[in-house]
Amino acid sequence: MIGLIDRERVDEELYDDFESAKAREKRLAKEARIQETQAKKAALGKKMKEPASVKGVKGRGEASFYRVTCKDNGRGMPHDEIPNMFGRVLSGTKYGLKQTRGKFGLGAKMALIWSKMSTGLPIEIASSMRGQNFKSFCKLDIDIHKNIPHVHLHEKRENKDKWHGAEIQVVIEGNWTTYRSKILHYMRQMAVITPYAQFLFKFISDMGEKNVTVLFARRTDVMPSVPLETKHHPSAVDLLLIKRLISETSKQNLLQFLQHEFVKISKTFAERLIGEMGPDFSPNMSVKSLTSQQIVRIHQLFRQAKFDDPNGDCLSPAGEYNLRLGIIKELQPDMVATYAGSPQIFEGHPFIVEAGISLGGKDVKQGLNVFRFANRIPLLFEQGADVVTRTALKRINWSSYKINLMQDKIGVFVSIVSTKIPFKGTGKEYIGDDITEISSAVKTAIQQCCVQLKSKIVKKLQARERQERKRNLTRYIPDASNAIYDILEKISQNKEAKRHRYEAEDNELLEKVSSQEITEISLRDHLTQHVEQVDYEMALEYAAQSGVSEDPREDIYLNSLDGSHNYIDFQSPIFVFRLCI
């Protein structure tokens, strides 16, 4: 594909893995001595140490190359826009704020650049929008110096199966063996936070036995709302942003600019701000005529004035229902609790924290297992410094919630969504622990989940104690019934001899023992029935306290996800009731 062919070596000494005859003789002699020593130790029964493997220097010619294909059934891309979308870095402009799933906005471009660096091969893109009768195909790479796309092929092809979406194919150098666990871990976390999507991952090798196929099934079609674009909050802008907004605005005067380019500034409040700026400002002055000093004064007032906090209507959290469903689907835990916090503010940006705690489950290690999400994207690296990990380790007293941090399998899931995620470091892989508002919200969300789990754990412990008590009582029934029957039998035999006077009920009981109407077996049966009755009454009381009804349950039949109906969703934190129209 690159255009090179395998050639036979002419000058062997030129290569890094060349071994001279003398070096080879020396190596073989050393290996023979090691084998002889190991044989002697084995004969004496001594424990042998594994020989250290000799690391060879890996040449570039031995690198592993992979063809990576990513395909979806989304909205697709316009035919004419594909070259610029993939072959031009930082081609977009933000006129407002919006919760975005990506961290850089460079994902596909970074794959293209890595392909260019490692193999020199172009990227291939296929795309089709809904309703189009053609499929766009584009093969391109990027001119890094000029920041323009270098298009090799761009054409329209027949779309027989009416597919819509996008497919990207890239050939890169990589190491599957080392990073396999990271890739599958990432896919699993994606399946947790997006249970409304299906992910099919395939690794196809030259050796068939090494092939891997993993399907993360879709469990719901209840999707989060689309995040809305919003204007900037005055307390969250800097000087450069104000200058850019002034240069791009279509508003003519200062009053309209303040009122329409920022949130939480009404007409009345804008007039008050302009009055506070000083005599050099007026509501009708041209916003384009503002000097640098005047812009600095506006910025200074924005930092000092008190504005109403922005609301979280523009955000799109995963939702408690989806988070709970994703955790249950992928981990299959014994217990799970979820909590969604209300919108909060830091530095003029709204954010929402959602959390889930699970106990038990498959493929979960003992101790704390932290899963972090930022704008519904999993974070894999630099976990130790992250606000979620630090909070879970240092600020939560797990034992007070009946959770054993060392023995239990604890899954901690925290999702933070915001118009601005305060990442630390250039990799944008963790959220710092230095923002009080976020760390406090994370702690509260985790604690609320723990409170829910504690009540479940306490009820489970009570049920276990009740079961243990019943088991102990049942164990002693034979001995107790035998002892009681022996006493009754002796009393009934000596009743006439000693002429004891007994009450009528006692006499009746002794008569039944004498006549064998009451035997040890019948006494044992009655004691067993009594223990069962007491256990049943306690279970009823426990069910009444926990809100479980004894009424018979009715079957509910759910339609398949593929059915096309008009419906209304009534959402609750733990379920969604769908009413078909």
Side-chain angles (χ1 to χ4, degrees):
M1 291 171 66
I2 297 174
L4 300 178
I5 59 172
D6 290 334
R7 296 183 178 276
E8 292 186 7
R9 295 183 179 184
V10 178
D11 188 351
E12 289 285 349
E13 296 184 18
L14 186 64
Y15 294 91
D16 187 52
D17 57 356
F18 171 74
E19 186 179 40
S20 64
K22 188 176 181 181
R24 183 172 180 276
E25 185 180 345
K26 188 176 179 181
R27 176 176 60 82
L28 292 175
K30 184 179 179 180
E31 289 176 358
R33 287 196 302 272
I34 292 172
Q35 290 177 358
E36 186 179 349
T37 305
Q38 287 180 342
K40 288 180 180 178
K41 286 183 178 180
L44 296 173
K46 292 183 179 180
K47 198 171 182 180
M48 291 182 293
K49 191 177 179 181
E50 288 291 330
S53 58
V54 181
K55 289 186 178 180
V57 181
K58 186 177 180 181
R60 296 292 292 178
E62 300 175 85
S64 298
F65 296 94
Y66 300 88
R67 184 198 303 275
V68 181
T69 305
C70 182
K71 184 177 182 178
D72 64 44
N73 60 342
R75 62 185 299 175
M77 296 170 284
H79 178 81
D80 296 332
E81 297 296 325
I82 292 176
N84 276 333
M85 293 175 76
F86 287 88
R88 194 186 299 273
V89 179
L90 301 175
S91 57
T93 304
K94 285 188 179 179
Y95 292 96
L97 286 173
K98 190 176 182 181
Q99 172 192 325
T100 55
R101 283 177 59 79
K103 291 182 285 188
F104 288 101
L106 297 171
K109 300 180 186 73
M110 290 168 71
L112 171 56
I113 292 171
W114 179 247
S115 171
K116 189 174 179 64
M117 289 172 59
S118 59
T119 66
L121 292 173
I123 193 171
E124 294 183 4
I125 306 110
S127 177
S128 181
M129 302 184 73
R130 191 186 296 271
Q132 282 185 179
N133 57 3
F134 65 90
K135 185 190 302 182
S136 303
F137 180 81
C138 187
K139 182 187 289 188
L140 59 85
D141 60 23
I142 186 171
D143 188 324
I144 297 176
H145 300 289
K146 295 181 181 179
N147 189 25
I148 57 174
H150 178 210
V151 180
H152 298 261
L153 180 65
H154 191 193
E155 63 183 11
K156 295 179 181 179
R157 296 180 176 178
E158 191 176 1
N159 187 13
K160 292 181 180 179
D161 52 3
K162 304 298 181 184
W163 166 75
H164 61 86
E167 180 179 347
I168 303 169
Q169 191 174 102
V170 61
V171 180
I172 58 173
E173 181 183 343
N175 190 333
W176 163 253
T177 307
T178 302
Y179 295 103
R180 163 181 172 159
S181 60
K182 286 289 183 186
I183 294 170
L184 294 177
H185 186 53
Y186 181 86
M187 297 294 294
R188 189 186 191 194
Q189 291 196 51
M190 282 295 298
V192 168
I193 202 68
T194 54
Y196 47 84
Q198 175 174 291
F199 299 97
L200 176 62
F201 177 83
K202 286 186 176 182
F203 174 78
I204 301 172
S205 171
D206 291 338
M207 295 174 284
E209 66 274 7
K210 291 190 176 182
N211 290 352
V212 176
T213 300
V214 183
L215 175 66
F216 300 92
R218 179 166 68 107
R219 285 289 300 276
T220 177
D221 57 356
V222 177
M223 293 183 64
S225 58
V226 177
L228 304 175
E229 189 169 357
T230 183
K231 299 293 184 180
H232 295 275
H233 192 271
S235 62
V237 298
D238 55 29
L239 201 57
L240 291 175
L241 182 56
I242 295 175
K243 289 181 178 179
R244 184 168 69 82
L245 290 174
I246 289 172
S247 67
E248 294 172 352
T249 186
S250 60
K251 305 304 175 184
Q252 299 299 318
N253 59 49
L254 181 58
L255 179 66
Q256 293 176 342
F257 172 73
L258 295 177
Q259 186 180 348
H260 294 285
E261 295 295 341
F262 301 95
V263 294
K264 300 302 177 182
I265 298 182
S266 62
K267 183 178 180 181
T268 305
F269 197 79
E271 291 172 346
R272 291 175 60 190
L273 286 172
I274 293 170
E276 187 66 23
M277 290 175 190
D280 296 336
F281 295 86
S282 67
N284 295 321
M285 70 183 298
S286 173
V287 70
K288 303 288 186 182
S289 65
L290 290 170
T291 64
S292 296
Q293 289 80 5
Q294 288 174 322
I295 295 174
V296 171
R297 173 60 185 147
I298 294 173
H299 179 235
Q300 184 183 37
L301 185 59
F302 278 177
R303 293 179 63 184
Q304 296 173 351
K306 181 180 179 181
F307 300 92
D308 291 337
D309 290 335
N311 52 40
D313 296 344
C314 60
L315 300 179
S316 175
E320 223 180 318
Y321 170 76
N322 279 336
L323 182 59
R324 177 186 291 266
L325 190 63
I327 295 170
I328 293 172
K329 176 172 73 81
E330 293 304 322
L331 272 70
Q332 300 175 10
D334 303 323
M335 292 184 186
V336 63
T338 53
Y339 173 80
S342 57
Q344 298 188 48
I345 309 298
F346 81 96
E347 297 179 357
H349 293 275
F351 72 93
I352 294 175
V353 174
E354 299 172 298
I357 306 290
S358 67
L359 292 178
K362 65 173 187 178
D363 300 330
V364 182
K365 297 182 293 185
Q366 280 188 333
L368 212 58
N369 299 268
V370 178
F371 301 84
R372 304 166 293 136
F373 305 93
N375 283 349
R376 307 207 309 269
I377 289 292
L379 304 178
L380 296 187
F381 303 100
E382 301 185 59
Q383 180 171 314
D386 188 85
V387 61
V388 177
T389 306
R390 287 180 175 245
T391 300
L393 281 174
K394 298 182 179 180
R395 303 189 186 103
I396 304 296
N397 185 5
W398 295 96
S399 59
S400 65
Y401 301 105
K402 310 292 185 183
I403 298 173
N404 190 320
L405 190 60
M406 303 303 295
Q407 295 181 359
D408 290 336
K409 297 178 178 179
I410 309 167
V412 178
F413 303 81
V414 176
S415 171
I416 302 174
V417 296
S418 177
T419 51
K420 180 186 177 183
I421 298 291
F423 290 113
K424 296 290 182 181
T426 55
K428 292 190 175 184
E429 281 296 334
Y430 76 101
I431 301 170
D433 195 28
D434 55 342
I435 299 174
T436 307
E437 296 90 342
I438 291 182
S439 61
S440 176
V442 170
K443 180 181 177 182
T444 300
I446 294 176
Q447 284 178 330
Q448 289 296 322
C449 293
C450 290
V451 169
Q452 297 176 42
L453 284 179
K454 183 179 179 180
S455 63
K456 295 180 182 179
I457 294 170
V458 168
K459 289 175 183 177
K460 190 175 181 180
L461 290 174
Q462 290 173 346
R464 190 181 300 164
E465 289 173 3
R466 195 173 59 254
Q467 200 69 22
E468 186 66 26
R469 188 164 52 247
K470 177 186 174 184
R471 189 161 41 246
N472 289 336
L473 287 172
T474 306
R475 186 191 310 159
Y476 294 117
I477 283 175
D479 295 335
S481 59
N482 184 31
I484 293 170
Y485 184 77
D486 285 347
I487 292 171
L488 290 174
E489 192 175 33
K490 287 178 182 178
I491 292 174
S492 66
Q493 291 173 356
N494 298 329
K495 181 178 69 167
E496 296 297 332
K498 296 188 177 181
R499 295 184 179 181
H500 286 297
R501 292 184 179 181
Y502 297 98
E503 298 292 336
E505 292 181 359
D506 296 338
N507 271 323
E508 185 182 353
L509 175 64
L510 294 174
E511 289 294 337
K512 288 182 177 180
V513 172
S514 299
S515 63
Q516 293 294 307
E517 188 176 343
I518 294 178
T519 62
E520 183 184 345
I521 295 173
S522 64
L523 190 61
R524 185 184 305 172
D525 292 341
H526 277 79
L527 278 173
T528 303
Q529 290 176 11
H530 179 71
V531 170
E532 292 287 348
Q533 180 65 26
V534 170
D535 182 69
Y536 177 72
E537 290 173 356
M538 291 180 68
L540 279 182
E541 183 182 355
Y542 168 75
Q545 291 176 354
S546 59
V548 179
S549 173
E550 195 189 5
D551 297 336
R553 300 181 181 182
E554 296 181 3
D555 293 333
I556 297 176
Y557 299 94
L558 302 178
N559 288 328
S560 66
L561 296 177
D562 298 330
S564 56
H565 304 281
N566 294 324
Y567 51 78
I568 300 174
D569 284 346
F570 300 93
Q571 297 200 19
S572 161
I574 58 173
F575 71 91
V576 172
F577 178 77
R578 173 161 291 173
L579 178 64
C580 289
I581 302 173

